[in-house]
Amino acid sequence: MNVKGKVAVITGASSGIGEAVARLLSEKGARVVLAARSFDKLKALGKELPGSFAIKTDMTKEEDIKDLVKKTIEHFGTVDILVNNAGRGYDAFIEEIDLTTFKNLLSLDLEGPLIAIQQVLPFMKKQKSGAIVNVSSGTALMSLPGMGGYSSIKRALAGISMTANEELKNDGISVSVIYPYITDTNFEENTIKSKKVREQAQEDGDWDPKIDPPDLVAQKILEAIETGKPVVYAHDWMGKRI
Ligand SMILES: NC(=O)c1ccc[n+]([C@@H]2O[C@H](COP(=O)([O-])OP(=O)(O)OC[C@H]3O[C@@H](n4cnc5c(N)ncnc54)[C@H](OP(=O)(O)O)[C@@H]3O)[C@@H](O)[C@H]2O)c1
């Protein structure tokens, strides 16, 4: 899909990858809808992006997600693109995964994207056109200690994405999953970390991985929208790990 003139809803647009996607799609001529909880940040970003529309949205609240799509339709009359990007990490070894924390994460990282997909589908099906991109994680391709909870939810999101792509391809709708690698955003500081994981990190000392800029992931998300590829990796070598 060519994004020029299209209406694109981006969740988690107040920071990191979502903000980079909003800037890139706007630059390419899309009309962007900015969704997140930090309304002041969205409004400030919106001032820089002509024709954009900011909507305060908590992606753990079904009513907020329904409202996001309803207001988008009222404002623009349509929705062409959904980027399910809002999310948070949770590092805990299997024996210490806290179920309340896990269920909260499930709500944000999996149920929220599913509800958003369900809300945009009637409009995309009617116009026989749409592009949906779900932001998973490279951890979903690996078996990293301490990431069982988070990576299992991101695997489930990939599962929904790939099945949805099969179900919807005859409706002119592409559904893609993108696997970012470690990306330079607020993700790490927003990640919930268990006691053992924090202790382990202190023992391990400084770790200095090569980190991607959010613009790189935004380019890959644009590629997913433009090509409709069901699976996109931040780096091609990531696909060889499956
Ligand atoms: N950075 C990485 O290394 C990395 C790697 C793989 C995958 N990812 C995935 O990439 C996505 C974006 O993360 P990021 O790296 O850009 O991190 P980030 O800078 O922390 O951004 C997270 C975004 O999600 C939003 N968000 C969090 N809770 C929300 C809620 N309840 N309702 C609505 N929005 C919410 C935040 O906005 P508010 O706080 O304003 O609501 C923010 O805009 C996530 O799904 C993450 O799992 C990141």
Side-chain angles (χ1 to χ4, degrees):
M1 175 186 287
N2 182 340
V3 304
K4 196 167 191 305
K6 297 291 192 301
V7 175
V9 174
I10 300 140
T11 72
S14 62
S15 143
I17 294 170
E19 179 182 338
V21 171
R23 288 183 186 281
L24 181 63
L25 295 190
S26 176
E27 185 192 307
K28 298 280 173 190
R31 295 172 286 168
V32 294
V33 179
L34 312 169
R37 294 167 304 174
S38 312
F39 195 51
D40 288 346
K41 286 190 195 169
L42 295 183
K43 277 196 298 189
L45 176 62
K47 280 192 185 143
E48 295 181 51
L49 309 180
S52 63
F53 186 41
I55 304 175
K56 185 175 160 71
T57 312
D58 184 337
M59 289 299 291
T60 64
K61 295 189 176 141
E62 188 176 350
E63 281 316 307
D64 274 24
I65 304 168
K66 288 181 171 169
D67 212 41
L68 168 65
V69 177
K70 189 167 166 269
K71 284 182 177 155
T72 298
I73 299 296
E74 281 168 4
H75 190 79
F76 287 118
T78 187
V79 57
D80 303 292
I81 297 163
L82 167 67
V83 181
N84 262 324
N85 163 76
R88 194 171 183 191
Y90 178 33
D91 294 353
F93 296 107
I94 296 295
E95 77 268 20
E96 48 169 6
I97 290 176
D98 172 69
L99 281 185
T100 304
T101 308
F102 183 74
K103 285 175 186 168
N104 287 340
L105 202 76
L106 201 59
S107 165
L108 174 63
D109 287 1
L110 187 64
E111 286 175 13
L114 173 61
I115 295 166
I117 292 170
Q118 290 175 332
Q119 290 304 305
V120 297
L121 275 188
F123 303 99
M124 292 184 176
K125 278 191 157 184
K126 203 169 159 203
Q127 67 196 18
K128 285 217 154 285
S129 156
I132 297 170
V133 182
N134 297 302
V135 180
S136 179
S137 162
T139 61
L141 305 168
M142 307 171 195
S143 306
L144 295 173
M147 295 213 174
Y150 172 69
S151 69
S152 65
I153 293 171
K154 289 295 192 180
R155 282 187 178 105
L157 180 62
I160 285 177
S161 191
M162 289 158 78
T163 304
N165 187 59
E166 284 299 314
E167 289 180 0
L168 296 164
K169 61 185 178 191
N170 293 333
D171 292 293
I173 301 166
S174 64
V175 186
S176 311
V177 55
I178 159 113
Y179 294 98
Y181 184 60
I182 306 165
T183 312
D184 188 10
T185 67
N186 295 331
F187 180 77
E188 193 54 28
E189 67 188 63
N190 288 332
T191 291
I192 305 154
K193 292 189 168 87
S194 72
K195 192 166 171 281
K196 269 196 181 177
V197 164
R198 277 183 272 121
E199 285 167 359
Q200 181 83 55
Q202 273 194 337
E203 266 176 42
D204 292 349
D206 281 347
W207 182 55
D208 191 15
K210 197 173 177 321
I211 296 178
D212 291 331
D215 288 354
L216 181 148
V217 185
Q219 281 291 349
K220 293 288 172 178
I221 290 174
L222 176 65
E223 180 190 324
I225 296 166
E226 287 179 338
T227 63
K229 277 187 202 166
V231 180
V232 175
Y233 304 97
H235 303 279
D236 289 345
W237 59 259
M238 295 170 78
K240 300 192 177 79
R241 294 193 68 108
I242 293 180

